[in-house]
C-alpha cells in the first residue's frame, strides 16, 4: 500500500478503492499475522548484516520486536523446540539472543535451504518471504515456522560459544594493537563488510600461524647472525 | 496563523557576496545523486543566519537581508551567505566500513565577536567552523607581486609598507577544531552548553563532554553499553543541555523514556536525577508499541521549564517537575496507527522526525508525510496542517490548511490516507528564535515561511 514514491491517486481512484470491497480478503488470523511479522523481522535483521553500516537503533528495535513475538509464542506453546540438545531445558531458555538470530539469517543464505529434519506430514512449507497478509486459506504455516526454527537451532549446535559473533559488538580495541595481533590475542581477518574478527576460540589457528611464522623468522635471524 | 510563502530552492543568489575558500572549487565537483537531501536545519541565536546541512556533507548558510525602507513589504529575505564542504566521506579500513559525510546536526555558538561559529557533525566527527567576512586585503607586498608571484630580490630597489585596501566582500569558512575519534557508534546529537565553554556529543550508547579548546580528549558522561552486547535492548536517541543550567542535560531512548542528569552528582551520569516515562496504554498495545514509542527528538523549551519529545505518532510536552506522564500530548498523524504493519514493512516506521518550539514556547511544530507539517498552539489548543510544496501553493501566497481524510466521505480538498506520499517526509524544521519565521526542509528543497505582512 505505501510503497515509497507512490503518487497520489485521483479522487475517483481513491473512491473506487474505498468502495470496491469485492477483492478484499478476510482478515487473517492473529497467529498468521504474528508469523508474518516474525518472518518480516527476521528478513530485516538479515538485511542489516548486509548493510555497510547498520543503523543500531533500527536493529535494536527490530530485535526487540522479534523477542516479543518469541516470548508470546513460547507462552502460547507454539514455539516448539525440536533439536535434541533441548532436552531438559525449560522452553523459556530457548529464547535466542538477538545476535544468533541475525547470524543464523546469514547462515540460511549461505547454506541454501536444508532439508526439513522432521516435516509435519501433509503440510507444505510456507515461503518465508510471502507478503505479510499473504494467505493460503486457513493453513497455519507451522511447517514453514518449524523450518526457520530448525535453521536457528542447527546453527546453535554447530557453533561453540566462544566463537559467536555479536550483532552489535564494536571491534575489540585490542584488534588495533599490533602487539596483540602478533601474540595471537586476536586472530583472523575481517571476512566481509561490517563483520568483526572471529574470537580465538574459533577454528584453528590464525593465531598459531602467527606464532609459527614468528618462530620461523626468529630461526632465520639466528642462522643469519651465526653466520 | 497565516503564512506567506517565500521559497528558497536550490538556487543560489550571490548578490555581490562571493563564497570563499573551498566553495568555489566544490562547485566543479560532481555531487552524488542524493547529496542535496537536507539533513539538518538550524537558525542561529539572533535568527540572522540559517544553516542547512545535507547528505553530501555540505553546509549552506543563509543570511537575512537588512530591511530596506523602500520595500516595506519585503521583510528581510534570506539569501545564500556561505557554502562550504564540512565533511567528506571516509573509509574505516579496519572495520571495512564507509563513514558517511552526511551532516547529522548543526548547532550555532552564540556570537561573541564579528565572526560566526557553528558545530557540524557527521556520524563520527564534530567540527567547529568559523565563518567570517573579509572586505579588505593587503596590497603592496615587497617580496610578492600583485598576482602572488615571488619577485626577484635583485629587482627590488625601494621598500614600502603594505596597506589594506577594500575588496569585494568575501565570506570564508575555516575549520577551527576537529573533534574526532571519540565515538564508536553514530553521533545523533550535539548540544552547546550554556557556559559556552563546553558541548556534548551523543551517539547510540554514549555521551561525551568536550571543551571547545581541547580536541584530543573528551569526558564520557553517559555510557549505556552493556558488558555483554547480546543484552542490548535500548539505545540513546537524542540529547540536549538545559538552556540555562549548565550542569543539567536530558537524553531520550528508543524505549520512550527521558532521563534528566545532573553533572554535579557524579562524573559518570549513569544514574539519572529524573526519569520521565508515560505508562503504556494497554488498549493500544501491539507488537509495534515499542517502536512507535521510540523518541526521535527531545528539545527543552526556551524557558527551560518543559521538554518536548517526538515519537512516531505524537508530540508530548513534559513538565520537568512531573515525571510520571506528559502534561500535553498532540496527535501528529494518528490515522497511521492502523497502518503500522505496512509502515514497518517499508521502514517508514523508523523515520526520525524532529520537533521545535517557537520563540515564546506557545506553539510547537513538527513534520509528517506528503510534505505536510503540523503546528500546535498550546494555549488555544488549535492545530493546523500545512504543506511545503511548489505545486500546491504559489510563492507569496497564503498557505492553505490541509486535511487528511480518515475514512468515510472525502471532501473536495481533503487527501485520503492511502494517497499520501510516504517518500515526501518532513523530518527537519526550524523556528526563528523571536519572530514567526520558519524553515522547513522537504527532501532537497528548503522552504522559508513567515507571517503575513499587512
Amino acid at each position: 500500500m505505501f510503497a515509497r514514491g507512490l503518487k497520489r491517486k485521483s479522487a475517483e481512484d481513491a473512491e473506487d478503492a474505498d468502495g470496491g470491497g469485492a477483492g478484499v480478503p478476510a482478515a487473517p488470523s492473529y497467529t498468521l499475522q504474528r508469523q508474518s511479522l516474525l518472518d518480516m523481522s527476521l528478513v530485516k535483521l538479515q538485511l542489516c548484516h548486509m548493510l555497510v553500516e547498520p543503523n543500531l537503533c533500527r536493529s535494536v528495535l527490530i530485535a526487540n520486536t522479534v523477542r516479543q513475538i518469541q516470548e508470546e509464542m513460547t507462552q502460547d506453546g507454539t514455539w516448539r523446540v525440536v533439536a535434541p540438545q533441548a532436552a531438559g531445558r525449560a522452553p523459556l531458555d530457548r529464547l535466542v539472543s538477538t545476535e544468533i538470530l541475525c547470524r543464523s539469517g546469514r547462515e540460511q543464505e549461505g547454506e541454501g535451504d536444508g532439508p526439513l529434519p522432521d516435516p509435519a506430514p501433509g503440510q507444505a512449507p510456507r515461503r518465508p518471504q510471502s507478503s505479510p497478509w499473504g494467505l493460503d486459506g486457513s493453513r497455519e504455516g507451522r511447517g514453514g515456522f518449524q523450518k526457520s526454527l530448525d535453521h536457528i537451532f542447527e546453527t546453535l549446535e554447530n557453533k561453540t560459544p566462544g566463537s559467536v559473533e555479536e550483532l552489535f559488538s564494536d571491534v575489540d580495541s585490542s584488534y588495533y594493537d599490533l602487539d596483540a595481533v602478533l601474540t595471537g590475542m586476536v586472530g583472523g581477518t575481517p571476512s566481509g563488510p561490517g563483520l568483526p574478527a572471529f574470537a580465538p576460540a574459533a577454528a584453528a589457528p590464525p593465531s598459531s600461524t602467527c606464532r609459527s611464522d614468528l618462530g620461523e623468522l626468529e630461526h632465520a635471524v639466528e642462522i643469519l647472525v651465526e653466520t | 496563523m497565516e503564512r506567506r510563502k517565500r521559497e528558497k530552492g536550490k538556487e543560489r543568489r550571490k548578490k555581490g557576496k562571493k563564497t570563499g575558500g573551498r566553495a568555489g572549487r566544490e562547485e566543479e565537483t560532481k555531487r552524488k545523486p542524493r547529496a542535496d537531501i537536507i539533513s539538518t536545519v538550524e537558525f542561529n541565536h539572533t535568527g540572522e543566519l540559517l544553516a542547512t546541512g545535507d547528505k553530501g556533507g555540505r553546509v549552506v548558510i543563509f543570511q537575512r537581508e537588512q530591511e530596506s525602507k523602500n520595500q516595506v513589504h519585503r521583510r528581510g529575505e534570506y539569501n545564500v551567505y556561505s557554502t562550504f564542504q564540512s565533511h567528506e566521506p571516509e573509509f574505516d579500513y579496519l572495520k571495512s566500513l564507509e563513514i558517511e559525510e552526511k551532516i547529522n546536526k548543526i548547532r550555532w555558538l552564540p556570537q561573541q565577536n564579528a565572526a560566526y561559529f557553528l558545530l557540524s557533525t557527521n556520524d563520527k566527527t564534530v567540527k567547529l567552523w568559523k565563518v567570517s567576512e573579509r572586505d579588505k586585503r593587503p596590497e603592496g607586498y615587497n617580496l610578492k607581486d600583485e598576482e602572488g608571484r615571488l619577485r626577484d630580490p635583485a629587482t627590488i630597489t625601494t621598500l614600502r609598507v603594505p596597506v589594506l585596501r577594500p575588496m569585494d566582500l568575501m565570506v570564508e569558512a575555516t575549520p577551527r577544531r576537529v573533534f574526532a575519534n571519540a565515538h564508536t557508534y553514530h553521533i545523533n546529537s550535539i548540544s552547546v552548553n550554556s557556559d559556552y565553554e563546553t558541548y556534548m556529543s551523543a551517539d547510540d550508547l554514549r555521551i561525551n563532554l568536550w571543551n571547545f579548546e581541547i580536541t584530543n580528549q573528551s569526558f564520557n558522561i553517559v555510557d549505556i553499553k552493556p558488558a555483554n552486547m547480546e543484552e542490548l535492548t535500548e539505545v540513546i536517541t537524542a540529547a540536549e543541555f538545559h538552556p540555562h543550567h549548565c550542569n543539567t542535560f536530558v537524553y531520550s531512548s528508543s524505549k520512550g523514556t527521558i532521563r534528566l542528569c545532573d553533572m554535579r552528582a557524579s562524573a559518570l551520569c549513569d544514574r539519572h536525577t529524573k526519569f520521565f516515562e508515560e505508562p503504556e496504554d494497554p488498549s493500544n498495545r501491539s507488537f509495534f508499541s515499542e517502536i512507535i514509542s521510540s523518541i526521535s527528538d527531545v528539545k527543552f523549551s526556551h524557558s527551560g521549564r518543559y521538554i518536548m519529545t517526538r515519537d512516531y505518532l505524537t508530540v508530548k510536552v513534559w513538565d520537568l517537575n512531573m515525571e510520571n506522564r506528559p502534561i500535553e500530548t498532540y496527535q501528529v498523524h494518528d490515522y497511521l496507527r492502523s497502518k503500522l504493519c505496512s509502515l514497518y514493512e517499508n521502514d517508514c516506521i523508523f523515520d526520525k522526525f524532529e520537533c521545535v518550539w517557537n520563540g515564546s514556547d506557545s506553539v510547537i511544530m513538527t513534520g509528517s508525510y506528503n510534505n505536510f507539517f503540523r503546528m500546535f498552539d498550546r494555549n488555544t489548543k488549535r492545530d493546523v496542517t500545512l504543506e511545503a510544496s511548489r505545486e500546491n501553493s504559489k510563492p507569496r501566497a497564503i498557505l492553505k490548511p490541509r486535511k487528511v481524510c480518515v475514512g468515510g466521505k472525502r471532501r473536495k480538498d481533503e487527501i485520503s490516507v492511502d494517497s499520501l506520499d510516504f517518500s515526501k517526509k518532513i523530518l527537519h524544521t526550524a523556528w526563528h528564535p523571536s519572530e514567526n519565521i520558519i524553515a522547513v526542509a522537504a527532501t532537497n528543497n528548503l522552504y522559508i515561511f513567515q507571517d503575513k505582512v499587512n
Side-chain angles (χ1 to χ4, degrees), chain B residues 14 63 75 120 171 185 224-225 253 303 367:
Chain B
K14 304 260 186 276
Q63 184 187 46
R75 291 198 315 187
S120 75
V171 182
Y185 303 97
I224 65 168
K225 180 174 183 243
S253 84
S303 63

Side-chain angles (χ1 to χ4, degrees), chain B residues 335-364:
Chain B
Y335 45 78
L336 297 182
R337 195 178 288 273
S338 57
K339 318 284 182 191
L340 291 178
C341 193
S342 304
L343 294 164
Y344 179 71
E345 191 185 6
N346 65 13
D347 265 12
C348 281
I349 207 174
F350 301 108
D351 286 336
K352 293 192 188 304
F353 293 93
E354 292 170 9
C355 53
V356 290
W357 299 86
N358 75 337
S360 58
D361 297 336
S362 59
V363 183
I364 57 184

Side-chain angles (χ1 to χ4, degrees), chain B residues 13-267:
Chain B
R13 295 172 212 158
K14 304 260 186 276
K15 285 202 176 158
K17 290 200 186 99
K18 289 187 208 156
T19 52
R22 298 195 58 184
R25 286 201 298 281
E26 72 88 22
E27 257 145 27
E28 298 152 14
T29 319
K30 201 156 179 242
R31 301 197 96 206
K32 289 186 238 174
R34 294 166 66 83
D36 287 337
I37 294 175
I38 298 171
S39 48
T40 184
V41 189
E42 186 83 353
F43 281 99
N44 76 338
H45 292 257
T46 60
E48 182 203 353
L49 299 180
L50 174 66
T52 62
D54 67 22
K55 202 159 184 279
R58 189 178 60 171
V59 172
V60 180
I61 301 178
F62 298 86
Q63 184 187 46
R64 195 174 184 193
E65 296 294 341
Q66 297 297 328
E67 293 174 23
S68 73
K69 295 195 182 91
N70 305 337
Q71 299 181 303
V72 187
H73 292 291
R74 289 168 61 94
R75 291 198 315 187
E77 279 195 358
Y78 284 84
N79 294 313
V80 176
Y81 178 67
S82 174
T83 302
F84 57 92
Q85 188 71 28
S86 171
H87 287 70
E88 300 275 5
E90 288 172 46
F91 196 76
D92 181 339
Y93 292 96
L94 286 168
K95 288 192 195 179
S96 286
L97 293 173
E98 193 179 274
I99 300 170
E100 276 193 303
E101 67 274 31
K102 174 169 71 90
I103 308 293
N104 293 336
K105 283 287 180 333
I106 289 175
R107 289 289 183 262
W108 291 93
L109 269 67
Q111 198 174 3
Q112 288 171 314
N113 53 36
Y116 303 103
F117 288 87
L118 61 81
L119 286 174
S120 75
T121 186
N122 69 349
D123 284 338
K124 297 285 185 177
T125 303
V126 185
K127 294 187 185 180
L128 177 69
W129 285 89
K130 175 181 177 183
V131 182
S132 51
E133 294 181 4
R134 186 192 292 270
D135 60 357
K136 293 188 260 293
R137 78 163 161 246
E139 284 177 20
Y141 284 105
N142 291 294
L143 296 173
K144 289 189 290 190
D145 65 17
E146 292 309 313
E147 276 83 49
R149 288 186 296 243
L150 290 174
R151 292 169 69 187
D152 178 4
T155 64
I156 299 172
T157 52
T158 59
L159 287 178
R160 55 189 175 167
V161 176
V163 290
L164 291 175
R165 291 254 150 76
M167 58 180 259
D168 284 344
L169 182 64
M170 194 152 151
V171 182
E172 292 180 321
T174 47
R176 302 298 293 171
R177 305 270 188 275
V178 177
F179 305 92
N181 302 319
H183 286 279
T184 308
Y185 303 97
H186 290 177
I187 297 174
N188 51 55
S189 312
I190 46 176
S191 178
V192 179
N193 205 350
S194 51
D195 63 9
Y196 304 155
E197 289 181 0
T198 57
Y199 75 94
M200 71 156 121
S201 55
D203 68 30
D204 295 313
L205 297 179
R206 299 190 176 103
I207 302 180
N208 293 331
L209 181 71
W210 300 85
N211 182 302
F212 281 111
E213 301 304 317
I214 301 169
T215 59
N216 61 358
Q217 52 175 304
S218 67
F219 286 106
N220 175 245
I221 52 177
V222 174
D223 188 339
I224 65 168
K225 180 174 183 243
N228 185 354
M229 280 297 272
E230 293 175 25
E231 292 163 8
L232 179 67
T233 58
E234 189 174 13
V235 300
I236 297 170
T237 52
E240 196 182 48
F241 268 118
H242 191 283
H244 313 308
H245 304 311
C246 56
N247 54 290
T248 303
F249 65 92
V250 292
Y251 69 91
S252 59
S253 84
S254 56
K255 286 197 170 171
T257 66
I258 307 104
R259 289 169 175 80
L260 183 138
C261 299
D262 186 334
M263 293 195 290
R264 297 171 300 188
S266 68

Side-chain angles (χ1 to χ4, degrees), chain B residues 406-421:
Chain B
V406 187
K409 296 188 74 160
R410 188 180 71 89
R411 294 204 189 90
K412 194 179 64 131
D413 286 338
E414 292 180 356
I415 295 176
S416 78
V417 181
D418 295 315
S419 305
L420 295 173
D421 188 342

Side-chain angles (χ1 to χ4, degrees), chain A residues 70 79 81-86 89 91 93-101 103-105 107 111 148-164, chain B residues 230:
Chain A
Q70 282 179 339
W79 182 272
V81 171
V82 166
Q85 75 273 17
R89 295 178 66 176
D93 289 352
R94 300 309 294 175
L95 287 177
V96 291
S97 70
T98 307
E99 48 80 23
I100 291 175
L101 280 170
R103 197 168 36 79
S104 70
E107 302 291 332
E111 299 167 83
S148 44
L149 251 192
D150 291 339
H151 273 290
I152 292 169
F153 291 134
E154 272 170 31
T155 313
L156 270 177
E157 223 178 309
N158 295 334
K159 293 287 183 180
T160 60
S163 66
V164 160
Chain B
E230 293 175 25

Side-chain angles (χ1 to χ4, degrees), chain B residues 323-445:
Chain B
E323 299 167 53
N324 59 353
R325 58 179 171 82
I327 56 170
E328 295 154 30
T329 300
Y330 301 94
Q331 302 294 332
V332 180
H333 38 218
D334 200 56
Y335 45 78
L336 297 182
R337 195 178 288 273
S338 57
K339 318 284 182 191
L340 291 178
C341 193
S342 304
L343 294 164
Y344 179 71
E345 191 185 6
N346 65 13
D347 265 12
C348 281
I349 207 174
F350 301 108
D351 286 336
K352 293 192 188 304
F353 293 93
E354 292 170 9
C355 53
V356 290
W357 299 86
N358 75 337
S360 58
D361 297 336
S362 59
V363 183
I364 57 184
M365 173 169 70
T366 189
S368 177
Y369 294 104
N370 209 74
N371 281 346
F372 287 170
F373 57 100
R374 304 259 284 138
M375 283 192 225
F376 303 91
D377 189 316
R378 297 177 61 217
N379 299 326
T380 66
K381 301 301 178 197
R382 286 197 338 222
D383 62 82
V384 68
T385 305
L386 300 170
E387 182 178 4
S389 98
R390 264 186 259 237
E391 292 86 28
N392 289 304
S393 50
K394 303 190 187 76
R396 301 188 194 289
I398 293 170
L399 286 180
K400 205 175 53 175
R402 315 290 297 178
K403 195 151 164 53
V404 176
C405 156
V406 187
K409 296 188 74 160
R410 188 180 71 89
R411 294 204 189 90
K412 194 179 64 131
D413 286 338
E414 292 180 356
I415 295 176
S416 78
V417 181
D418 295 315
S419 305
L420 295 173
D421 188 342
F422 286 80
S423 68
K424 295 186 179 166
K425 48 195 89 176
I426 295 192
L427 305 173
H428 313 287
T429 60
W431 204 307
H432 189 285
S434 50
E435 296 185 39
N436 279 339
I437 304 174
I438 58 174
V440 176
T443 315
N444 56 349
N445 288 314

Side-chain angles (χ1 to χ4, degrees), chain A residues 80 116-125 139-144 146:
Chain A
R80 283 191 289 134
L116 282 175
D118 196 16
Q123 281 188 346
R139 250 181 283 167
E140 290 293 304
R142 288 225 170 160
Q146 203 58 49

